[in-house]
PDB file of all heavy atoms in Angstrom:
ATOM      1  N   ASP A 466     -26.887   7.362  61.277  1.00 93.00           N
ATOM      2  CA  ASP A 466     -26.013   8.214  62.078  1.00 93.00           C
ATOM      3  C   ASP A 466     -24.563   7.751  62.075  1.00 93.00           C
ATOM      4  O   ASP A 466     -23.640   8.563  62.030  1.00 93.00           O
ATOM      5  CB  ASP A 466     -26.537   8.336  63.514  1.00 93.00           C
ATOM      6  CG  ASP A 466     -26.743   6.997  64.202  1.00 93.00           C
ATOM      7  OD1 ASP A 466     -26.528   5.946  63.560  1.00 93.00           O
ATOM      8  OD2 ASP A 466     -27.128   6.999  65.388  1.00 93.00           O
ATOM      9  N   TRP A 467     -24.338   6.395  62.103  1.00 93.00           N
ATOM     10  CA  TRP A 467     -22.943   5.967  62.171  1.00 93.00           C
ATOM     11  C   TRP A 467     -22.213   6.199  60.852  1.00 93.00           C
ATOM     12  O   TRP A 467     -20.993   6.331  60.830  1.00 93.00           O
ATOM     13  CB  TRP A 467     -22.840   4.515  62.631  1.00 93.00           C
ATOM     14  CG  TRP A 467     -23.354   3.468  61.694  1.00 93.00           C
ATOM     15  CD1 TRP A 467     -22.737   2.981  60.585  1.00 93.00           C
ATOM     16  CD2 TRP A 467     -24.592   2.758  61.788  1.00 93.00           C
ATOM     17  NE1 TRP A 467     -23.505   2.013  59.977  1.00 93.00           N
ATOM     18  CE2 TRP A 467     -24.652   1.850  60.704  1.00 93.00           C
ATOM     19  CE3 TRP A 467     -25.656   2.784  62.693  1.00 93.00           C
ATOM     20  CZ2 TRP A 467     -25.729   1.000  60.492  1.00 93.00           C
ATOM     21  CZ3 TRP A 467     -26.724   1.932  62.483  1.00 93.00           C
ATOM     22  CH2 TRP A 467     -26.762   1.054  61.397  1.00 93.00           C
ATOM     23  N   VAL A 468     -22.946   6.299  59.742  1.00 96.00           N
ATOM     24  CA  VAL A 468     -22.311   6.663  58.468  1.00 96.00           C
ATOM     25  C   VAL A 468     -21.910   8.135  58.511  1.00 96.00           C
ATOM     26  O   VAL A 468     -20.803   8.510  58.097  1.00 96.00           O
ATOM     27  CB  VAL A 468     -23.242   6.378  57.279  1.00 96.00           C
ATOM     28  CG1 VAL A 468     -22.587   6.834  55.971  1.00 96.00           C
ATOM     29  CG2 VAL A 468     -23.578   4.896  57.207  1.00 96.00           C
ATOM     30  N   ARG A 469     -22.802   8.975  59.011  1.00 96.00           N
ATOM     31  CA  ARG A 469     -22.478  10.407  59.150  1.00 96.00           C
ATOM     32  C   ARG A 469     -21.228  10.581  60.014  1.00 96.00           C
ATOM     33  O   ARG A 469     -20.331  11.368  59.699  1.00 96.00           O
ATOM     34  CB  ARG A 469     -23.654  11.159  59.770  1.00 96.00           C
ATOM     35  CG  ARG A 469     -24.911  11.175  58.928  1.00 96.00           C
ATOM     36  CD  ARG A 469     -25.899  12.221  59.424  1.00 96.00           C
ATOM     37  NE  ARG A 469     -26.374  11.957  60.782  1.00 96.00           N
ATOM     38  CZ  ARG A 469     -27.451  11.248  61.078  1.00 96.00           C
ATOM     39  NH1 ARG A 469     -28.170  10.684  60.103  1.00 96.00           N
ATOM     40  NH2 ARG A 469     -27.838  11.075  62.326  1.00 96.00           N
ATOM     41  N   SER A 470     -21.186   9.835  61.103  1.00 95.00           N
ATOM     42  CA  SER A 470     -20.054   9.945  62.021  1.00 95.00           C
ATOM     43  C   SER A 470     -18.740   9.530  61.357  1.00 95.00           C
ATOM     44  O   SER A 470     -17.711  10.209  61.478  1.00 95.00           O
ATOM     45  CB  SER A 470     -20.306   9.071  63.261  1.00 95.00           C
ATOM     46  OG  SER A 470     -19.199   9.066  64.126  1.00 95.00           O
ATOM     47  N   LYS A 471     -18.768   8.429  60.626  1.00 97.00           N
ATOM     48  CA  LYS A 471     -17.541   7.944  59.985  1.00 97.00           C
ATOM     49  C   LYS A 471     -17.106   8.873  58.855  1.00 97.00           C
ATOM     50  O   LYS A 471     -15.899   9.067  58.626  1.00 97.00           O
ATOM     51  CB  LYS A 471     -17.751   6.525  59.451  1.00 97.00           C
ATOM     52  CG  LYS A 471     -16.472   5.785  59.171  1.00 97.00           C
ATOM     53  CD  LYS A 471     -15.626   5.581  60.424  1.00 97.00           C
ATOM     54  CE  LYS A 471     -16.194   4.549  61.359  1.00 97.00           C
ATOM     55  NZ  LYS A 471     -15.288   4.256  62.489  1.00 97.00           N
ATOM     56  N   ALA A 472     -18.074   9.461  58.149  1.00 97.00           N
ATOM     57  CA  ALA A 472     -17.730  10.414  57.097  1.00 97.00           C
ATOM     58  C   ALA A 472     -17.062  11.656  57.679  1.00 97.00           C
ATOM     59  O   ALA A 472     -16.079  12.171  57.127  1.00 97.00           O
ATOM     60  CB  ALA A 472     -18.985  10.800  56.316  1.00 97.00           C
ATOM     61  N   ALA A 473     -17.594  12.132  58.809  1.00 97.00           N
ATOM     62  CA  ALA A 473     -16.987  13.294  59.470  1.00 97.00           C
ATOM     63  C   ALA A 473     -15.569  12.965  59.933  1.00 97.00           C
ATOM     64  O   ALA A 473     -14.632  13.760  59.757  1.00 97.00           O
ATOM     65  CB  ALA A 473     -17.839  13.717  60.660  1.00 97.00           C
ATOM     66  N   GLN A 474     -15.393  11.776  60.498  1.00 96.00           N
ATOM     67  CA  GLN A 474     -14.063  11.358  60.941  1.00 96.00           C
ATOM     68  C   GLN A 474     -13.092  11.321  59.763  1.00 96.00           C
ATOM     69  O   GLN A 474     -11.928  11.738  59.884  1.00 96.00           O
ATOM     70  CB  GLN A 474     -14.148   9.990  61.596  1.00 96.00           C
ATOM     71  CG  GLN A 474     -12.802   9.447  62.076  1.00 96.00           C
ATOM     72  CD  GLN A 474     -12.928   8.046  62.642  1.00 96.00           C
ATOM     73  OE1 GLN A 474     -13.915   7.699  63.277  1.00 96.00           O
ATOM     74  NE2 GLN A 474     -11.922   7.227  62.409  1.00 96.00           N
ATOM     75  N   ALA A 475     -13.563  10.810  58.631  1.00 98.00           N
ATOM     76  CA  ALA A 475     -12.713  10.730  57.445  1.00 98.00           C
ATOM     77  C   ALA A 475     -12.294  12.121  56.984  1.00 98.00           C
ATOM     78  O   ALA A 475     -11.130  12.352  56.623  1.00 98.00           O
ATOM     79  CB  ALA A 475     -13.442   9.991  56.330  1.00 98.00           C
ATOM     80  N   LEU A 476     -13.232  13.069  57.000  1.00 97.00           N
ATOM     81  CA  LEU A 476     -12.900  14.439  56.601  1.00 97.00           C
ATOM     82  C   LEU A 476     -11.859  15.032  57.553  1.00 97.00           C
ATOM     83  O   LEU A 476     -10.951  15.753  57.122  1.00 97.00           O
ATOM     84  CB  LEU A 476     -14.167  15.300  56.581  1.00 97.00           C
ATOM     85  CG  LEU A 476     -15.129  14.994  55.432  1.00 97.00           C
ATOM     86  CD1 LEU A 476     -16.480  15.645  55.667  1.00 97.00           C
ATOM     87  CD2 LEU A 476     -14.535  15.459  54.097  1.00 97.00           C
ATOM     88  N   GLY A 477     -11.973  14.717  58.833  1.00 96.00           N
ATOM     89  CA  GLY A 477     -10.967  15.183  59.779  1.00 96.00           C
ATOM     90  C   GLY A 477      -9.603  14.578  59.509  1.00 96.00           C
ATOM     91  O   GLY A 477      -8.574  15.237  59.675  1.00 96.00           O
ATOM     92  N   GLN A 478      -9.576  13.313  59.090  1.00 97.00           N
ATOM     93  CA  GLN A 478      -8.303  12.668  58.780  1.00 97.00           C
ATOM     94  C   GLN A 478      -7.685  13.233  57.504  1.00 97.00           C
ATOM     95  O   GLN A 478      -6.461  13.374  57.408  1.00 97.00           O
ATOM     96  CB  GLN A 478      -8.511  11.154  58.616  1.00 97.00           C
ATOM     97  CG  GLN A 478      -8.833  10.435  59.915  1.00 97.00           C
ATOM     98  CD  GLN A 478      -9.219   8.983  59.666  1.00 97.00           C
ATOM     99  OE1 GLN A 478     -10.263   8.684  59.103  1.00 97.00           O
ATOM    100  NE2 GLN A 478      -8.353   8.077  60.084  1.00 97.00           N
ATOM    101  N   ILE A 479      -8.523  13.548  56.527  1.00 97.00           N
ATOM    102  CA  ILE A 479      -8.027  14.087  55.258  1.00 97.00           C
ATOM    103  C   ILE A 479      -7.459  15.489  55.468  1.00 97.00           C
ATOM    104  O   ILE A 479      -6.400  15.836  54.941  1.00 97.00           O
ATOM    105  CB  ILE A 479      -9.150  14.098  54.206  1.00 97.00           C
ATOM    106  CG1 ILE A 479      -9.515  12.656  53.832  1.00 97.00           C
ATOM    107  CG2 ILE A 479      -8.737  14.895  52.967  1.00 97.00           C
ATOM    108  CD1 ILE A 479     -10.768  12.534  53.003  1.00 97.00           C
ATOM    109  N   GLY A 480      -8.167  16.292  56.265  1.00 95.00           N
ATOM    110  CA  GLY A 480      -7.686  17.634  56.557  1.00 95.00           C
ATOM    111  C   GLY A 480      -7.829  18.578  55.373  1.00 95.00           C
ATOM    112  O   GLY A 480      -8.453  18.259  54.354  1.00 95.00           O
ATOM    113  N   GLY A 481      -7.255  19.765  55.533  1.00 96.00           N
ATOM    114  CA  GLY A 481      -7.320  20.760  54.466  1.00 96.00           C
ATOM    115  C   GLY A 481      -8.471  21.738  54.673  1.00 96.00           C
ATOM    116  O   GLY A 481      -9.427  21.470  55.415  1.00 96.00           O
ATOM    117  N   ASP A 482      -8.388  22.854  53.985  1.00 96.00           N
ATOM    118  CA  ASP A 482      -9.377  23.927  54.162  1.00 96.00           C
ATOM    119  C   ASP A 482     -10.778  23.501  53.742  1.00 96.00           C
ATOM    120  O   ASP A 482     -11.770  23.865  54.381  1.00 96.00           O
ATOM    121  CB  ASP A 482      -8.954  25.165  53.365  1.00 96.00           C
ATOM    122  CG  ASP A 482      -7.701  25.824  53.941  1.00 96.00           C
ATOM    123  OD1 ASP A 482      -7.388  25.544  55.118  1.00 96.00           O
ATOM    124  OD2 ASP A 482      -7.045  26.594  53.222  1.00 96.00           O
ATOM    125  N   ARG A 483     -10.878  22.751  52.630  1.00 97.00           N
ATOM    126  CA  ARG A 483     -12.212  22.347  52.148  1.00 97.00           C
ATOM    127  C   ARG A 483     -12.912  21.460  53.167  1.00 97.00           C
ATOM    128  O   ARG A 483     -14.094  21.653  53.461  1.00 97.00           O
ATOM    129  CB  ARG A 483     -12.101  21.616  50.812  1.00 97.00           C
ATOM    130  CG  ARG A 483     -11.926  22.502  49.598  1.00 97.00           C
ATOM    131  CD  ARG A 483     -12.281  21.766  48.318  1.00 97.00           C
ATOM    132  NE  ARG A 483     -11.514  20.539  48.159  1.00 97.00           N
ATOM    133  CZ  ARG A 483     -11.786  19.598  47.262  1.00 97.00           C
ATOM    134  NH1 ARG A 483     -12.828  19.741  46.452  1.00 97.00           N
ATOM    135  NH2 ARG A 483     -11.031  18.527  47.157  1.00 97.00           N
ATOM    136  N   ALA A 484     -12.196  20.486  53.675  1.00 97.00           N
ATOM    137  CA  ALA A 484     -12.806  19.564  54.638  1.00 97.00           C
ATOM    138  C   ALA A 484     -13.204  20.308  55.901  1.00 97.00           C
ATOM    139  O   ALA A 484     -14.301  20.088  56.451  1.00 97.00           O
ATOM    140  CB  ALA A 484     -11.834  18.438  54.962  1.00 97.00           C
ATOM    141  N   LEU A 485     -12.360  21.199  56.390  1.00 97.00           N
ATOM    142  CA  LEU A 485     -12.684  21.953  57.602  1.00 97.00           C
ATOM    143  C   LEU A 485     -13.903  22.840  57.380  1.00 97.00           C
ATOM    144  O   LEU A 485     -14.798  22.916  58.244  1.00 97.00           O
ATOM    145  CB  LEU A 485     -11.485  22.798  58.020  1.00 97.00           C
ATOM    146  CG  LEU A 485     -11.706  23.691  59.246  1.00 97.00           C
ATOM    147  CD1 LEU A 485     -12.119  22.867  60.457  1.00 97.00           C
ATOM    148  CD2 LEU A 485     -10.452  24.511  59.544  1.00 97.00           C
ATOM    149  N   ALA A 486     -13.970  23.502  56.233  1.00 97.00           N
ATOM    150  CA  ALA A 486     -15.111  24.386  55.960  1.00 97.00           C
ATOM    151  C   ALA A 486     -16.414  23.600  55.953  1.00 97.00           C
ATOM    152  O   ALA A 486     -17.439  24.060  56.488  1.00 97.00           O
ATOM    153  CB  ALA A 486     -14.901  25.095  54.618  1.00 97.00           C
ATOM    154  N   VAL A 487     -16.391  22.409  55.371  1.00 96.00           N
ATOM    155  CA  VAL A 487     -17.595  21.579  55.311  1.00 96.00           C
ATOM    156  C   VAL A 487     -18.026  21.173  56.712  1.00 96.00           C
ATOM    157  O   VAL A 487     -19.213  21.256  57.079  1.00 96.00           O
ATOM    158  CB  VAL A 487     -17.328  20.327  54.449  1.00 96.00           C
ATOM    159  CG1 VAL A 487     -18.415  19.281  54.658  1.00 96.00           C
ATOM    160  CG2 VAL A 487     -17.243  20.708  52.981  1.00 96.00           C
ATOM    161  N   LEU A 488     -17.092  20.718  57.526  1.00 96.00           N
ATOM    162  CA  LEU A 488     -17.415  20.282  58.882  1.00 96.00           C
ATOM    163  C   LEU A 488     -17.931  21.443  59.721  1.00 96.00           C
ATOM    164  O   LEU A 488     -18.899  21.302  60.487  1.00 96.00           O
ATOM    165  CB  LEU A 488     -16.176  19.667  59.538  1.00 96.00           C
ATOM    166  CG  LEU A 488     -15.722  18.318  58.971  1.00 96.00           C
ATOM    167  CD1 LEU A 488     -14.328  17.975  59.470  1.00 96.00           C
ATOM    168  CD2 LEU A 488     -16.711  17.214  59.349  1.00 96.00           C
ATOM    169  N   TRP A 489     -17.289  22.578  59.587  1.00 95.00           N
ATOM    170  CA  TRP A 489     -17.691  23.741  60.373  1.00 95.00           C
ATOM    171  C   TRP A 489     -19.106  24.190  59.993  1.00 95.00           C
ATOM    172  O   TRP A 489     -19.937  24.450  60.859  1.00 95.00           O
ATOM    173  CB  TRP A 489     -16.693  24.873  60.145  1.00 95.00           C
ATOM    174  CG  TRP A 489     -16.834  25.998  61.145  1.00 95.00           C
ATOM    175  CD1 TRP A 489     -17.565  27.128  61.000  1.00 95.00           C
ATOM    176  CD2 TRP A 489     -16.245  26.047  62.440  1.00 95.00           C
ATOM    177  NE1 TRP A 489     -17.475  27.905  62.127  1.00 95.00           N
ATOM    178  CE2 TRP A 489     -16.661  27.264  63.030  1.00 95.00           C
ATOM    179  CE3 TRP A 489     -15.413  25.210  63.157  1.00 95.00           C
ATOM    180  CZ2 TRP A 489     -16.265  27.657  64.306  1.00 95.00           C
ATOM    181  CZ3 TRP A 489     -15.008  25.593  64.420  1.00 95.00           C
ATOM    182  CH2 TRP A 489     -15.430  26.797  64.989  1.00 95.00           C
ATOM    183  N   GLN A 490     -19.370  24.257  58.696  1.00 94.00           N
ATOM    184  CA  GLN A 490     -20.697  24.662  58.240  1.00 94.00           C
ATOM    185  C   GLN A 490     -21.770  23.683  58.725  1.00 94.00           C
ATOM    186  O   GLN A 490     -22.850  24.094  59.171  1.00 94.00           O
ATOM    187  CB  GLN A 490     -20.726  24.760  56.717  1.00 94.00           C
ATOM    188  CG  GLN A 490     -22.093  25.168  56.158  1.00 94.00           C
ATOM    189  CD  GLN A 490     -22.110  25.197  54.635  1.00 94.00           C
ATOM    190  OE1 GLN A 490     -21.084  24.980  54.000  1.00 94.00           O
ATOM    191  NE2 GLN A 490     -23.267  25.457  54.056  1.00 94.00           N
ATOM    192  N   THR A 491     -21.473  22.395  58.640  1.00 94.00           N
ATOM    193  CA  THR A 491     -22.439  21.384  59.070  1.00 94.00           C
ATOM    194  C   THR A 491     -22.718  21.508  60.561  1.00 94.00           C
ATOM    195  O   THR A 491     -23.868  21.385  61.001  1.00 94.00           O
ATOM    196  CB  THR A 491     -21.915  19.969  58.751  1.00 94.00           C
ATOM    197  OG1 THR A 491     -21.613  19.894  57.356  1.00 94.00           O
ATOM    198  CG2 THR A 491     -22.955  18.914  59.092  1.00 94.00           C
TER     199      THR A 491
END
Side-chain angles (χ1 to χ4, degrees):
D466 55 357
W467 68 78
V468 177
R469 296 195 297 269
S470 176
K471 198 62 73 174
Q474 179 184 324
L476 288 167
Q478 290 172 291
I479 292 169
D482 292 341
R483 281 199 304 168
L485 177 58
V487 165
L488 290 167
W489 193 266
Q490 179 183 356
T491 304

